[in-house]
Amino acid sequence: MAVFVALGAFLMTLAGGWTAQRVTDRRHLVLGLAGGLMLGVVGLDLLPEALKTAGGEVFGVPAALLLFVAGFLLAHLVERLLAARQASHGGEETNGRAPEVGLTAAAAMVGHSAMDGVAIGAAFQVGEGMGTAVALAVVAHDFADGFNTYTITSLYGNARRKALTMLFADAAAPVVGAASTAFVTIPAGLLGSYLGLFGGVLLYLAAAEILPEAHHEHPARSTLLCTVAGVLFIWLVVGIAS
């Protein structure tokens, strides 16, 4: 059942990527929406879950928040290192961005989607009701995952073929993750730590890359409205699933 539900996530991820691909003539709106979806996923989904499951404090600060900050700094460090490496080797950048950063970020999205599949499988092990609730949440927000994966890969100047490859990898990841729960069980604390770290990475991409680019050439009210719509969509998904 978990793998069957994950197939729904597969199709929803592809639908999100297809949508991002089809509206390239409104690139600023796509980026604005992607930034809102990322912000909503981080603030309304990943962080609350990380705080619930990571547990413990380090010098008075929840471990999940420390990992969240570490993820943000890690994304910034990786981007700077890859950009410097690209420049030192005479490689080209796209608007000051190294294409490898986009591929690395998309790979992180693939890893997150695999964990979504693990969450579906683990929930069905607890019970059918729990599995259904988690599955609805994952399938709904996998549209955003597919949308963001294609957008991030393309934003950093990668060819359409690479963007599609990462999109299909992201779509297949929940199916692989769900199937893996037949053999592996991930401790809740470890999962919470991962969510905190990934949330920091995603927030960096939204705040430092996606949203500034969305408003760079088209500082329009419609772009801002798309960002707000992305956040509201994730809030709706989280509310329905809870």
Side-chain angles (χ1 to χ4, degrees), residues 27-28 95 97 210-220 223:
R27 185 170 179 269
H28 60 292
N95 295 326
R97 295 182 172 90
I210 301 295
L211 290 177
E213 180 68 16
H215 293 276
H216 178 62
E217 296 181 0
H218 298 276
T223 306

Side-chain angles (χ1 to χ4, degrees), residues 1-166:
M1 177 61 74
V3 174
F4 178 76
V5 170
L7 289 174
F10 173 87
L11 296 175
M12 190 63 78
T13 302
L14 291 182
W18 180 85
T19 302
Q21 182 184 182
R22 296 292 294 179
V23 291
T24 50
D25 57 329
R26 293 288 184 268
R27 185 170 179 269
H28 60 292
L29 299 181
V30 171
L31 294 174
L33 179 61
L37 291 171
M38 288 182 181
L39 179 59
V41 167
V42 172
L44 306 178
D45 186 16
L46 298 183
L47 262 185
E49 188 64 29
L51 287 169
K52 280 194 301 184
T53 56
E57 293 186 351
V58 180
F59 288 103
V61 178
L65 291 183
L66 287 175
L67 287 165
F68 174 74
V69 174
F72 190 97
L73 294 175
L74 178 63
H76 179 57
L77 177 63
V78 168
E79 182 189 35
R80 291 297 88 210
L81 288 176
L82 287 175
R85 177 179 177 275
Q86 189 88 348
S88 66
H89 286 77
E92 295 182 357
E93 293 185 1
T94 303
N95 295 326
R97 295 182 172 90
E100 291 88 348
V101 175
L103 293 176
T104 302
M109 295 292 293
V110 173
H112 176 63
S113 293
M115 297 304 291
D116 281 347
V118 171
I120 293 175
F124 271 103
Q125 289 178 2
V126 173
E128 187 172 332
M130 175 68 75
T132 301
V134 171
L136 286 174
V138 169
V139 170
H141 94 246
D142 270 353
F143 178 88
D145 283 353
F147 191 98
N148 291 336
T149 298
Y150 186 88
T151 301
I152 289 172
T153 310
S154 300
L155 176 65
Y156 281 85
N158 289 286
R160 181 172 177 271
R161 177 177 55 81
K162 289 185 178 180
L164 289 175
T165 298
M166 297 309 297

